Amino acid sequence: MHHHPGGPLTEINETEILTWHLPTPPSYWSIDFEDRDMNTSRYPALMAVHVLFMFLAFFVALPVGTAMRSVKHAWHGYTVIVFYSLCALGCAASSLYKKFTPDMYESSTHSAHGYFLILLSVARFAVDITAFFLRLYAFVRGGCKFSFGPFWRSVVLGQGTHDSTSEYSGLVTDDPEECDDMKLMNVTSQEPTQGFDNQFDENAQDTQYVHHPSHSSVSERTGSHRYLRHSDDTLHDMMLPPAIHPRQSIKQSLSRRVSGAAFATLERALVFAAFGMVLSGIVVYTGGCRESYINGCLAHLIKGGIFWCYGLFTFARFLGSHSEMGWAWNISPTGNTISAEFVESAVIFLYGITNTWMERFGAHSGDPYTTKQVQHISIAVMFWFAGLVGMAMESKRVRRWLAASAAVALGPARFSNITEPASYRASFNPFPALIIGVTGAAMSAHAQTYLFQVQIHQLWGWLLLGFSVLRCFTYFFLWLGPPSSVFPSRPPTEALGSFFLACGGLVFMFSTEEVTLAAMRKGHDDMMMFLNVAVAITCSAFCWTLCVVSFNGWLKSRRVVSSPL
């Protein structure tokens, strides 16, 4: 957009806009509602049905099915049927709508991407089918006398198989070792259970763990001396106490861990990909992101969408998600795992290294760098190198190098008697917060053509800066009192920070040039309205996140109570 030397404009100038952009063509939204021809039949209800069924499939049935899969619930198969039934109904409604409606968005890839996403989801189901037949083959080959109970548990539910520590047993399936209830009872009675029980006091203010000499040194060092370990929302398990699963190997093969991590990542990425399809569907239906608008539109939607998902993920961590990896500001019960700050820094690094080269999209060879391009490229370079520093700070090897001076000064004899400080139990990496905070501060001063555009950029810039400040407060308080329990600590600053981050990402998407111009044309260029809409949507998404995490925890708590040790 052209920037005026006299400052941002307060009234829209359509003549100047047409010098930079083509007129906005009609869209599905315009022919269905705004400029509807009453003599022509339109079917917006079919589009509403499509949206409803796809929403229920990917944001209700899919998370429920994923949670049930993690505990091998007997109803998991029904959730798969419901998911694909909803997808079929949604695709049918979309096909009917396109049949009765002219093509208002040429070369749209929304449908193709949607079908590809459904195809990816089939991989989950294919793994289940493959695992079922492998368990059936192993059961038949075992030569045991057929009995419905053991068959249902070992073949249908997969509870008679031993799948190491991964929750994705379909990737590698072992033979069932039990043929009947008596063998199951005999094997269970032989497992060591000293020092373990399944008593959990929900009213306890501060749960203390009882030390038993038989536990591993890792358990002693972290203070998590007694716990129940079941598969959770983990990408890969690094260490598992043999007292819980004595017949399983502590170390898994590299290929098994990689396959389990890849499958877990794919399964959870489907929800985020579905969110991307929501944005794509809104763009296609409203006719946005075309011609000269496309680069700015993609930049706002992709980057704002990343911050939005990052905020929801941070709120899930606050609730207790990934606590088995120590990502809920707690001590990891499994010992050696990568930290959440390392993952954040890695994403920031990849985000920066890709965006560094994308800012010149649309420019011709030899074109000089504009002020806007230099601004955005410098931000991307900041993400690149600050993310690299953040990853280095999370490396145990780098930390040992940084402590080498003290080790050399003490000498080997004295150094062996030195214990690590309590702060070493947690990660205090300020670089992810620093990067997001500087981004928010910089974008709040981003020059724009119109005053409303300046104001809305300031809004989401301040929200991102608020997250950065609150994350620093989290580190400050955790530095004073490092985590001492495997249970989630739930710092209240993270609840507020995650809200600021998600809401800031949503306002980031709202600040797209086409959206702000459309709001000015309709007389809706009101900051309070935009903020209230963003807050309402964010609160709804947080409620959905709470339901998903709570349902997952409820399933696992029932498994803890019902599982014999």
Side-chain angles (χ1 to χ4, degrees), residues 402-479:
L402 298 177
S405 298
V408 171
L410 287 172
R414 295 172 59 192
F415 182 76
S416 60
N417 297 324
I418 300 299
T419 59
E420 294 180 345
S423 60
Y424 277 39
R425 292 201 302 261
S427 175
F428 301 99
N429 193 336
F431 285 96
L434 172 67
I435 294 167
I436 295 176
V438 172
T439 301
M443 296 306 295
S444 64
H446 199 297
Q448 300 292 322
T449 303
Y450 294 99
L451 179 61
F452 175 65
Q453 294 174 331
V454 173
Q455 292 173 339
I456 197 168
H457 276 76
Q458 287 177 340
L459 178 59
W460 68 260
W462 292 337
L463 288 170
L464 295 188
L465 183 59
F467 161 77
S468 177
V469 172
L470 289 167
R471 171 59 67 86
C472 290
F473 274 118
T474 298
Y475 288 147
F476 173 74
F477 290 119
L478 288 181
W479 179 267

Side-chain angles (χ1 to χ4, degrees), residues 202-496:
E202 297 182 351
N203 297 323
Q205 297 295 324
D206 185 14
T207 303
Q208 301 292 330
Y209 291 93
V210 181
H211 174 67
H212 294 279
S214 61
H215 291 286
S216 65
S217 61
V218 173
S219 178
E220 294 174 357
R221 184 169 62 254
T222 60
S224 55
H225 304 298
R226 180 174 61 92
Y227 55 88
L228 297 175
R229 175 67 167 89
H230 294 280
S231 62
D232 204 343
D233 300 344
T234 175
L235 300 181
H236 59 275
D237 294 324
M238 304 295 293
M239 186 175 297
L240 192 65
I244 298 179
H245 299 286
R247 289 168 297 181
Q248 299 175 357
S249 174
I250 296 179
K251 294 183 178 179
Q252 303 179 56
S253 66
L254 178 62
S255 61
R256 184 179 180 87
R257 292 202 303 268
V258 171
S259 61
F263 189 87
T265 303
L266 170 63
E267 189 170 43
R268 287 153 178 81
L270 289 175
V271 177
F272 296 101
F275 170 70
M277 293 306 302
V278 170
L279 297 181
S280 174
I282 293 174
V283 167
V284 172
Y285 190 72
T286 58
C289 296
R290 287 190 273 196
E291 302 297 339
S292 56
Y293 285 112
I294 186 169
N295 287 336
C297 180
L298 290 176
H300 281 76
L301 294 183
I302 293 175
K303 297 175 183 179
I306 291 175
F307 287 127
W308 164 262
C309 295
Y310 185 14
L312 295 183
F313 178 72
T314 303
F315 181 63
R317 288 177 56 198
F318 166 79
L319 296 175
S321 180
H322 299 282
S323 58
E324 77 286 352
M325 301 179 70
W327 289 9
W329 296 276
N330 63 316
I331 296 176
S332 172
T334 58
N336 295 326
T337 58
I338 60 175
S339 65
E341 284 76 9
F342 179 87
V343 176
E344 291 176 345
S345 299
V347 173
I348 287 171
F349 170 77
L350 294 176
Y351 177 92
I353 199 173
T354 54
N355 276 267
T356 300
W357 321 112
M358 294 173 63
E359 293 298 337
R360 289 281 288 177
F361 281 0
H364 299 89
S365 178
D367 287 350
Y369 282 79
T370 65
T371 302
K372 186 175 182 179
Q373 289 173 352
V374 173
Q375 290 172 346
H376 291 181
I377 290 175
S378 60
I379 291 177
V381 171
M382 176 190 69
F383 272 66
W384 181 352
F385 287 101
L388 190 62
V389 173
M391 287 191 294
M393 294 301 298
E394 294 302 312
S395 171
K396 292 182 175 62
R397 185 183 301 274
V398 172
R399 289 180 177 180
R400 287 196 298 268
W401 291 345
L402 298 177
S405 298
V408 171
L410 287 172
R414 295 172 59 192
F415 182 76
S416 60
N417 297 324
I418 300 299
T419 59
E420 294 180 345
S423 60
Y424 277 39
R425 292 201 302 261
S427 175
F428 301 99
N429 193 336
F431 285 96
L434 172 67
I435 294 167
I436 295 176
V438 172
T439 301
M443 296 306 295
S444 64
H446 199 297
Q448 300 292 322
T449 303
Y450 294 99
L451 179 61
F452 175 65
Q453 294 174 331
V454 173
Q455 292 173 339
I456 197 168
H457 276 76
Q458 287 177 340
L459 178 59
W460 68 260
W462 292 337
L463 288 170
L464 295 188
L465 183 59
F467 161 77
S468 177
V469 172
L470 289 167
R471 171 59 67 86
C472 290
F473 274 118
T474 298
Y475 288 147
F476 173 74
F477 290 119
L478 288 181
W479 179 267
L480 296 179
S484 57
S485 172
V486 298
F487 291 144
S489 58
R490 299 192 181 95
T493 50
E494 285 302 312
L496 299 175

Side-chain angles (χ1 to χ4, degrees), residues 515-531:
V515 175
T516 56
L517 293 178
M520 295 178 68
R521 292 188 181 104
K522 298 294 184 180
H524 297 317
D525 50 333
D526 183 86
M527 288 298 300
M528 180 178 177
M529 186 196 75
F530 269 72
L531 177 60

Side-chain angles (χ1 to χ4, degrees), residues 22-49:
L22 295 176
T24 302
S27 63
Y28 294 106
W29 169 265
S30 63
I31 66 173
D32 281 345
F33 296 100
E34 288 186 342
D35 302 321
R36 182 172 182 176
D37 185 359
M38 302 307 297
N39 298 322
T40 304
S41 299
R42 299 298 180 198
Y43 304 93
L46 289 174
M47 180 54 62
V49 170

Side-chain angles (χ1 to χ4, degrees), residues 105-180:
Y105 203 108
E106 297 181 359
S107 303
S108 169
T109 59
H110 175 74
S111 297
H113 291 166
Y115 285 119
F116 177 72
L117 181 60
I118 294 175
L119 182 63
L120 283 180
S121 67
V122 173
R124 301 169 57 253
F125 187 59
V127 169
D128 290 335
I129 292 295
T130 303
F132 173 81
F133 283 107
L134 287 175
R135 292 194 298 266
L136 178 62
Y137 172 75
F139 184 84
V140 174
R141 192 183 63 176
C144 300
K145 183 179 179 181
F146 178 80
S147 178
F148 180 77
F151 174 82
W152 179 263
R153 286 189 296 272
S154 63
V155 178
V156 178
L157 301 183
Q159 294 178 350
T161 61
H162 300 282
D163 56 350
S164 187
T165 61
S166 175
E167 65 186 45
Y168 305 101
S169 59
L171 296 175
V172 180
T173 305
D174 300 330
D175 297 341
E177 300 181 9
E178 296 82 20
C179 298
D180 51 36

